[in-house]
Amino acid sequence: MINLETIRKDFPFLERSIDGRRVIYLDSANTSQKPNQVIDAMSAFMRDAYAPINRSAYRMAAAATDAYEGARAKIATFVNAPSADEVVFSRNATEALNLFAQGWSRARLSPGDAVVLTHMEHHANVVPWQMMAAERGIELRWIPLTDDGHLDLTDLDRLLDGAKVLSFTAMSNVLGTLNPVRLLCDAAHQAGAIAMVDACQSVPHSVTDVVAMGADLCAFSAHKMLGPSGIGALWGRSEILEALPPLLGGGNMIDDVRLDRFTCAPVPAKFEAGTPAIVEAIGFGAAIDYLSSIGMAEIRRHEMDLTRYALDSLTERFGSDITIHGPANVEERGGVISFAFRDLHPHDVSQVLDEKNVCVRAGHHCAKPLMRQMGANATVRASMYLYNDRSDVDALCEGLAGANDIFGF
Amino acid sequence: MPGLEDLYREIILDHYRNPRNRGEIESPPATIVEGHNPLCGDEITLHLLIADGVVSDVKTAGQGCSISQSSASMMTQAVIGRPVNEARAIIHRFKHMMSIEDHVHDEHLESPPLGDLEALQGVVKFPVRIKCAVLAWNTLAQALDESGV
Ligand SMILES: Cc1ncc(COP(=O)(O)O)c(C=O)c1O
C-alpha cells in the first residue's frame, strides 16, 4: 500500500501554500513535482562531486563518469532494457522522437515509403514526421479513433501494409487511453515495420518492460517521472541504434576526426554530442530510485483507485453538466481526466480553479489533430500522480462548483 | 492575488453571453483573416468591410474563452462606423491598456475613448489572459493591413 502521508512529505511543493491555502497540483501529465531525494541528489552532486564526464583522467572526473553511467544503468533496469548501451540520453521525449524520426527517414526511408501514426498523437510524434514527409516525400497514414476514445483498429492491417514504421503513443495525454502496445508492435512487425512507442505518459505511471512490449524503440522524459527537466531517454534495440545516424555532431560522439572525415563513437555515445545534462542525469537516476522504492505496480494501483474516485465524484456531483472524455473503465485508462464543464471555456474554468489553488491544464494539450477529432478546441485536464489523494479530487469538485457562482448558473 | 471580480466584470460577462456582431460578411468585398492563440487553441475569424475609408462593418466567428470573446464583441462595437485611422488608433490605445504597446500619440487625431472596453483593464493583472484579450485586436490590425487601407 502506498503511504501517502510519508510520500507527500517528500515533495516540498506540496507543502506550499498560497494565500494561506495549500496548493492542489493536478497537472502531472504536463510535468511532475520533485521529491527531496531528487533535489538533494542533484545539489549534492553539484556541491561535492561535479566534474566532466568521459574526458579527463583525474579521479573526480572518473567518479562523475561513473555516476552518469550509473544513471543510464538504472534507467535500463527500470524499463527492462537488455543492455544499458541501448539507452540514449536526450533532452526530452521530443528530442528522442526527433532523433529517430529524422535519422531514420534520412538514412533509411525513400520517397513513397509509408509511416503510420494515430489521431491521438502528441505534436512531438506528429510534427517531426510531417517535417520528414515534406523533406523526404514520405507518406503519412493515420489510425483513426472510435467514439469512446480508443484506437480504431478495424483497418490496421491495410494501414500497415507496406509501411516502414509505426509510431504511436502508449497512453493518450488527453484521453488517458491506454493503447494495446504489444498488439500494435506485433502487427507492425508482421507487416515488416519498425515499432516506435512514445511512452512519455506510461513509463511514469506503470511497470515498463520494453521486451514484453515488443517495441523496437521507446521514448520518455524525466520531468514527467519526478526527475528534472532537460533530460529524457530513447531506448532502442541495438541493431536499430547501430543503423540510426546521429542528429548532432560534435565532441563525445566521435571515434576519430580528420580534416576530411570523422567516424562515430559506438552507441550510445554516438547520439550524445557535446557536454550532456550531467546533473540532470543524476537527478533522473534518483527519481528512478524513488519510484522503484515505492513500486510501479503500487503506483498504478493507487492511480487507478484515485481515477475511479475522481470519475465517480465528478459524475455524481455534476451529472450532465460535465462531459468526461476518454474511456470510462479505469482498467483502460491512466489518471488523466479531460473534461468539458457546462459550456464554459476551459480557460475560464482553470482561472476559477486557480483562485482555489487548484492547478490544472486548460488548452489543446499539444494534440490539435485529436482536439479537432473531438470537435473541441480545448479541454480542462486534471492529471494525477502518486502524491495525489482524494482530498485533491474533492478540491477540484469544490472549485468547479465555484464556477457556477461567477458565471451565474 | 487579484480577485476574480477584477477579471469577470459584469459588462464582460454580458458580452460573453450575448456577443455582438457575430457572423460573416461575404468576401469579396470583405477581407477575411484568421487569428490563433497557439497557447490555448482559441480561434477567431474576422470579416472586415471598408467603405470610403470607414470601417463599415466587422463580424467575428470562432471559439474562445470569455475574455477573448467579450473583447472581440466590444471591439466590433468600438470600431464600426469609425474612419480607418481612428480604428487603428483604438487598436493602439487598447494594446497600450494591455501593457503591450507604448501609446503612440497621434497629434492629428484625438483617439476615441475606449468606453466599455475599459472593463477589460483588469485583465492586465492576469498576464496569462492578455493574449486572449488582444487576439481579436491583432486579427483586426492584420485585416486592416491586408485590405490595403
Ligand atoms: C504523449 C506525449 N508525448 C510526448 C510529449 C513530449 O514530452 P516533452 O515535452 O517532455 O518532450 C508529451 C508531453 O507532454 C506527451 O504527453
Side-chain angles (χ1 to χ4, degrees), chain A residues 44-88:
Chain A
F45 182 79
M46 277 192 282
R47 199 169 24 222
D48 306 328
Y50 188 77
I53 60 157
N54 294 343
R55 292 185 184 183
S56 307
Y58 47 89
R59 279 165 294 165
M60 284 286 280
T65 306
D66 286 350
Y68 180 78
E69 291 305 324
R72 193 193 307 277
K74 287 176 188 179
I75 294 163
T77 307
F78 189 71
V79 300
N80 195 33
S83 154
D85 287 344
E86 294 183 345
V87 174
V88 177

Side-chain angles (χ1 to χ4, degrees), chain A residues 18-19 343-345 347-349 351-352 354-355 357 361-364 368 372 375-378 406-408, chain B residues 1-5 7-8 13 16-17 36-43 63-67 126 129 132:
Chain A
I18 300 176
D19 302 333
D343 60 351
L344 290 186
H345 191 276
H347 245 179
D348 292 314
V349 175
Q351 187 85 60
V352 173
D354 185 33
E355 215 198 27
N357 291 351
R361 174 140 180 213
H364 55 60
K368 287 193 94 168
R372 290 210 171 87
N377 65 354
I406 290 168
F407 291 92
Chain B
M1 171 170 159
L4 286 180
E5 61 282 2
L7 188 62
Y8 297 123
L13 293 176
Y16 175 47
R17 292 193 199 101
H36 297 271
N37 182 345
L39 212 66
C40 60
D42 283 0
E43 292 171 353
Q63 297 177 30
C65 65
S66 58
I67 301 302
F126 298 82
R129 305 301 291 274
C132 310

Side-chain angles (χ1 to χ4, degrees), chain A residues 218-275:
Chain A
C218 186
F220 46 100
S221 279
H223 70 91
K224 291 188 201 284
M225 47 193 291
L226 313 184
S229 54
I231 193 163
L234 174 67
W235 166 79
R237 287 199 300 111
S238 56
E239 305 91 277
I240 290 177
L241 294 182
E242 293 295 343
L244 182 68
L247 197 57
L248 298 178
N252 200 47
M253 55 75 72
I254 51 91
D255 177 49
D256 189 22
V257 182
R258 292 164 190 263
L259 288 180
D260 61 347
R261 64 181 181 270
F262 71 94
T263 47
C264 285
V267 172
K270 176 171 95 172
F271 300 107
E272 295 179 9
T275 303

